[in-house]
Amino acid sequence: MTTPKLSMRGVRKSFGTNTVLDGIDLDVAPGEVITLIGASGSGKSTLLRCCNLLEPIDDGAILLDDDDIAEPGLDADPIRRRIGMVFQSFNLFPHMSVTKNVAIGPRKVLGVDKATANATAIELLARLGLTDRSDAYPDQLSGGQQQRVAIARSLAMGPEVMLLDEITSALDPELVGEVLDVVRGLKTDGMTMLFATHEMAFAREISDRVCFLHKGRILEQGPPDQIFGEPQEPRTREFLQRVIDSGRL
Amino acid sequence: MGSGPFRNSAHPVIPMDSQTRREAYEQRQRRRSIVIASASTAVVIATIVVLVPRAPRWDRVKKSFFDGDIFTDSFPRLLEAFWLDIKIFAWSVPLIFALSLAIAVSRNTRSPALFPLRAAAVIYTDVFRGIPVILTIFLVGFGVPGLFESRAWSNPLIWGSAALILSYSAYVSEEIRAGIEGVHESQRAAARSLGMSSTQTMASVILPQALRRIVPPMMNSLVSLQKDVALVSLIGPVEILRQAGLDKSKFANFTPYVAAAVIFLMVTIPCTRLADYLLNRERRRTGATTVS
């Protein structure tokens, strides 16, 4: 068995008296795509933010290639550059052009010179179908375009793992497809991904494994056909039924 | 065309020749507003022009504040003295900006080793925002030169400017800090998730956005500084206020003060208008709307 790319062991996190992650154990193999599903507040986003060390965990361990990255006191910057993160609200830098948004990470963090970083950025943008928007500013783009730029910005750092935090939740329905296409492309390229989402049909299509989170625990996990076809846990069935009732599956 | 839900309704379609109904309505409203505003302004001006000269001692006030000859005699001299105010202003502004930026950024540091710096920044802003500018000018202007033997150190221009810089940096640093805190946390998260250090995040992502936001409030501080430069005259330098005082004594007439006020307004009114314009533009840009 290969060592997992990313691995969580008994991860706990609470905000005040509110326990958000209540002992998470999860192994993500290299090239594996895992989707996290569950109601709002079940801990999906916090789990991803903890993996990227944006939130310190209270207990447990997070291993990247078998190294504990959640060790208190560890310098988080070199670790973060190996893990890409895409946010629900895009979070592009509004004062920078699209190209600069993508080039700024390699320039500041990896010390790549401006010309090389820009060339790489433009290449990446072309791959994501954004060639003609490279000089635009974020507020001139549609939500779908902004989210694709955000993905490009993250990819520019050459991450080993991508964390996608409900990246289509802020988009108009007709723009969701273009962003999901990018995620399909990443899977084809063999990217390891951890993907929190409400897009159940897409989760079923793209996942190697689906995890259902409930109150900070992984209540059930398995191949998508099993989770969506024959869920074992009553809570999972209940959640999926609600999703079906709201017309999203 | 013609298949929309409203095309089949009983209402006739209004032809869109030059103006929509709303535009026509708004134009009528605008005309009405202009007429009312002009009329009420005319009434107010007429009242002032008619009533003020009827005040019992208007003639004496007119003679001692609005003497045309003294005004023309004094004006060029005051304008020349105002040049010093401009110079004090000009060299103070970049120093205020640099000092307040340093204070604002040091208040945002996290490292425990920098605790003394953070504490100093807090004490500094509390102290200098709590003391009237004029007191700071007296204390610095008369106190600091006393530390030195040489008279070369007793230049009131230097210490007067230093007092202004100390006072204003306390205010401007708070404006910058508010700008820094106004940048949404998600911007920091995005920058840090790329692996940028906190210093890189501040320099490349947070500060550029913060500084854009604080231009309007900072403009207001600068307009205020432009006037407070005159306070430096109280420790010696012959700038416009001092010169106006000299002229007042010479002519035994207050007209030079009025002339000085006119000169200040010539500079501060355009600056205030510019500040308001920038503020409104920022408001529009950030999507805030006004409700009539």
Side-chain angles (χ1 to χ4, degrees):
Chain A
M1 192 193 144
T2 53
T3 41
K5 186 78 212 168
L6 184 71
S7 169
M8 274 147 272
R9 303 277 162 79
V11 170
R12 280 172 203 285
K13 169 77 186 172
S14 35
F15 295 105
T17 56
N18 179 22
T19 303
V20 185
L21 297 179
D22 193 9
I24 297 280
D25 290 292
L26 181 65
D27 286 337
V28 189
E32 195 179 17
V33 177
I34 295 186
T35 48
L36 307 171
I37 62 170
S40 302
S42 58
K44 305 186 296 289
S45 286
T46 307
L47 176 63
L48 296 182
R49 290 175 68 86
C50 287
C51 286
N52 203 16
L53 311 180
L54 288 173
E55 303 284 356
I57 60 173
D58 299 338
D59 202 5
I62 300 175
L63 310 178
L64 181 67
D65 284 338
D66 259 353
D67 297 321
D68 188 357
I69 57 171
E71 179 88 31
L74 212 61
D75 182 8
D77 296 337
I79 297 159
R80 288 203 188 100
R81 59 181 86 144
R82 298 169 58 193
I83 305 176
M85 178 137 185
V86 184
F87 301 86
Q88 177 176 350
S89 50
F90 327 139
N91 302 1
L92 292 178
F93 306 131
H95 58 297
M96 297 179 190
S97 71
V98 164
T99 305
K100 194 168 179 197
N101 260 283
V102 179
I104 190 81
R107 276 173 60 191
K108 296 288 168 189
V109 179
L110 306 177
V112 177
D113 67 276
K114 189 176 170 181
T116 314
N118 281 352
T120 314
I122 286 168
E123 213 169 281
L124 256 174
L125 290 167
R127 252 177 60 197
L128 303 194
L130 291 160
T131 302
D132 51 334
R133 306 321 314 264
S134 57
D135 293 327
Y137 280 79
D139 61 0
Q140 299 166 325
L141 303 182
S142 73
Q145 290 171 334
Q146 288 191 55
Q147 195 58 296
R148 283 186 282 152
V149 175
I151 295 172
R153 175 175 69 177
S154 190
L155 288 176
M157 295 296 295
E160 299 161 34
V161 184
M162 288 283 273
L163 310 171
L164 311 176
D165 187 7
E166 299 193 20
I167 58 171
T168 58
S169 297
L171 296 176
D172 291 338
E174 80 273 18
L175 301 178
V176 169
E178 62 188 67
V179 172
L180 295 185
D181 279 342
V182 174
V183 180
R184 283 190 191 97
L186 291 178
K187 183 182 163 93
T188 313
D189 295 345
M191 178 64 78
T192 310
M193 286 187 278
L194 203 47
F195 185 15
T197 188
H198 289 294
E199 298 289 336
M200 297 303 160
F202 184 70
R204 188 166 192 168
E205 170 204 326
I206 199 163
S207 311
D208 296 311
R209 193 152 38 116
V210 178
C211 296
F212 172 68
L213 266 75
H214 181 73
K215 293 192 172 159
R217 290 168 172 276
I218 297 177
L219 213 56
E220 185 171 2
Q221 57 176 304
D225 284 340
Q226 183 199 318
I227 299 292
F228 292 107
E230 317 157 39
Q232 305 299 305
E233 292 285 333
R235 302 252 187 226
T236 316
R237 282 202 289 273
E238 207 177 287
F239 171 74
L240 290 172
Q241 190 58 50
R242 275 207 308 277
V243 174
I244 290 165
D245 290 347
S246 67
R248 295 188 74 157
L249 185 61
Chain B
M1 279 300 284
S3 60
F6 298 106
R7 297 286 168 175
N8 299 326
S9 69
H11 299 292
V13 175
I14 310 283
M16 302 266 208
D17 38 326
S18 58
Q19 245 183 356
T20 63
R21 277 160 71 198
R22 167 141 304 271
E23 281 166 357
Y25 169 77
E26 281 175 354
Q27 195 180 10
R28 279 200 306 280
Q29 288 292 309
R30 253 196 317 275
R31 281 203 194 115
R32 199 166 150 258
S33 307
I34 291 169
V35 169
I36 293 175
S38 320
S40 69
T41 310
V43 168
V44 170
I45 290 175
T47 313
I48 293 170
V49 169
V50 171
L51 287 188
V52 169
R54 283 168 178 267
R57 306 190 65 173
W58 165 245
D59 282 343
R60 303 214 1 206
V61 169
K62 190 180 163 199
K63 210 184 290 168
S64 53
F65 281 87
F66 301 100
D67 186 310
D69 292 339
I70 294 176
F71 190 95
T72 38
D73 184 275
S74 181
F75 195 82
R77 234 182 349 270
L78 292 175
L79 208 54
E80 209 184 314
F82 189 58
W83 182 232
L84 182 59
D85 293 74
I86 298 207
K87 281 195 284 194
I88 296 175
F89 178 79
W91 67 56
S92 297
V93 168
L95 292 169
I96 288 171
F97 188 73
L99 182 56
S100 49
L101 191 62
I103 293 163
V105 170
S106 49
R107 282 191 74 162
N108 266 279
T109 55
R110 296 277 174 277
S111 153
L114 296 178
F115 175 77
L117 188 66
R118 274 196 296 282
V122 172
I123 293 168
Y124 173 88
T125 42
D126 282 2
V127 166
F128 282 99
R129 284 198 306 164
I131 304 175
V133 181
I134 185 159
L135 257 181
T136 309
I137 290 174
F138 280 144
L139 292 175
V140 174
F142 293 135
V144 179
L147 294 171
F148 302 99
E149 296 274 353
S150 159
R151 278 188 55 81
W153 284 99
S154 62
N155 186 339
L157 269 184
I158 293 176
W159 300 115
S161 307
L164 285 176
I165 292 164
L166 288 173
S167 248
Y168 270 82
S169 295
Y171 288 98
V172 174
S173 74
E174 286 297 286
E175 285 161 7
I176 296 179
R177 203 163 68 97
I180 289 173
E181 278 166 12
V183 177
H184 198 267
E185 190 54 37
S186 61
Q187 288 287 311
R188 209 181 301 264
R192 299 308 298 271
S193 80
L194 290 174
M196 289 167 90
S197 68
S198 59
T199 313
Q200 287 170 331
T201 301
M202 179 57 84
S204 304
V205 175
I206 308 294
L207 267 186
Q209 295 184 59
L211 294 180
R212 223 157 289 198
R213 278 156 205 249
I214 58 155
V215 167
M218 215 149 78
M219 283 293 294
N220 279 327
S221 292
L222 293 187
V223 169
S224 175
L225 170 66
Q226 213 152 45
K227 294 176 295 168
D228 281 352
V229 165
L231 295 175
V232 173
S233 68
L234 295 172
I235 56 172
V238 182
E239 51 67 73
I240 185 167
L241 183 62
R242 183 88 163 185
Q243 185 62 53
L246 295 173
D247 280 14
K248 180 212 68 177
S249 308
K250 182 170 135 197
F251 297 114
N253 188 292
F254 289 109
T255 304
Y257 282 143
V258 174
V262 169
I263 290 172
F264 270 107
L265 288 177
M266 275 165 29
V267 175
T268 51
I269 287 181
C271 287
T272 316
R273 290 294 106 224
L274 179 65
D276 279 4
Y277 165 77
L278 292 174
L279 191 64
N280 280 328
R281 202 182 58 170
E282 176 71 14
R283 233 178 247 151
R284 271 200 306 280
R285 212 177 59 77
T286 53
T289 50
T290 47
V291 175
S292 54

